[in-house]
Amino acid sequence: MRAGNARPQTEPLLPPWLTDAIDFGRRYRDADARIALAIELARRNVEHATGGPFGAAVFDESGRLIAAGINRVEPLASSLAHAEIVALAGAQRRLGRARLNEDGRRYTLATSAQPCCQCYGAIVWAGIDELLVGARADDTESLAGFDEGPLPADWTGELERRGIRVTRDLRREEARVVLADYARRGGRRY
């Protein structure tokens, strides 16, 4: 018997619908296609009620999808299961290394909303060269009630000083719709 009579974890990290939502054979050639996927993942996560209104994906320099992630905080009872963390961990596992770009290639993280303080830190250490962002933290907080935590005042500048290019407000209105839909459905704020 396990300590505290806790049941062993049997739920998969990602829900089955995710397999149908992603195409590892497709090339996502530009920022628009990459952010569109991240927002679509967030939308489907809300639609299927399998987590929070956030999606993320990691791509290599040719536009090949390396890993996708969605927010799974509540279903997995883990504050670490943010979409960006799930996508980064999936990419690290798939490529077999903690620092993605140590192979000399460039990697992009597309995320449906501005990273929180936890995900910001992970981006710094994961070997990401470019960050694509849909909604802003203001949107996440005002539309869905999330607390994104403290970030440096010039968080984009801090990332860029570390060689991580940041592009914000990509398909921002689409990402905002997902956040508002989540709140309308009574989603939990985690």
Side-chain angles (χ1 to χ4, degrees):
M1 182 169 283
R2 298 175 56 120
N5 294 324
R7 289 184 4 201
Q9 179 68 11
T10 58
E11 181 178 344
L13 180 61
L14 298 171
W17 66 260
L18 187 62
T19 304
D20 297 331
I22 55 178
D23 180 358
F24 281 101
R26 177 180 168 196
R27 293 283 191 235
Y28 296 81
R29 301 250 181 232
D30 60 18
D32 187 66
R34 295 170 190 180
I35 200 70
L37 176 62
I39 294 169
E40 177 63 11
L41 293 172
R43 186 191 67 73
R44 287 189 186 204
N45 207 31
V46 170
E47 181 181 282
H48 290 279
T50 50
F54 306 101
V58 176
F59 304 89
D60 72 9
E61 60 195 19
S62 73
R64 180 175 63 116
L65 177 63
I66 304 299
I70 52 173
N71 177 285
R72 298 285 286 155
V73 169
E74 193 66 23
L76 297 177
S78 172
S79 62
L80 301 175
H82 289 200
E84 298 92 336
I85 301 295
V86 172
L88 291 169
Q92 291 164 332
R93 204 169 36 255
R94 183 168 182 194
L95 297 177
R97 58 184 175 269
R99 187 142 186 99
L100 300 175
N101 61 5
E102 74 180 18
D103 66 350
R105 300 186 79 188
R106 297 184 56 77
Y107 292 88
T108 297
L109 174 66
T111 181
S112 63
Q114 179 178 318
C116 69
C117 59
Q118 169 185 258
C119 297
Y120 174 83
I123 289 165
V124 169
W125 303 120
I128 291 297
D129 301 287
E130 181 178 24
L131 175 64
L132 307 175
V133 179
R136 291 183 175 223
D138 297 355
D139 302 327
T140 302
E141 292 169 358
S142 67
L143 295 171
F146 287 88
D147 176 2
E148 297 302 279
L151 286 175
D154 183 21
W155 68 272
T156 59
E158 290 294 330
L159 289 178
E160 289 179 356
R161 281 186 279 287
R162 292 176 174 270
I164 303 168
R165 185 172 150 222
V166 179
T167 306
R168 297 170 62 186
D169 299 335
L170 297 167
R171 294 186 174 226
R172 182 178 179 191
E173 287 308 311
E174 284 179 49
R176 288 172 48 88
V177 166
V178 173
L179 294 166
D181 185 41
Y182 180 77
R184 184 185 57 75
R185 292 174 187 239
R188 299 197 41 171
R189 288 153 182 91
Y190 37 79

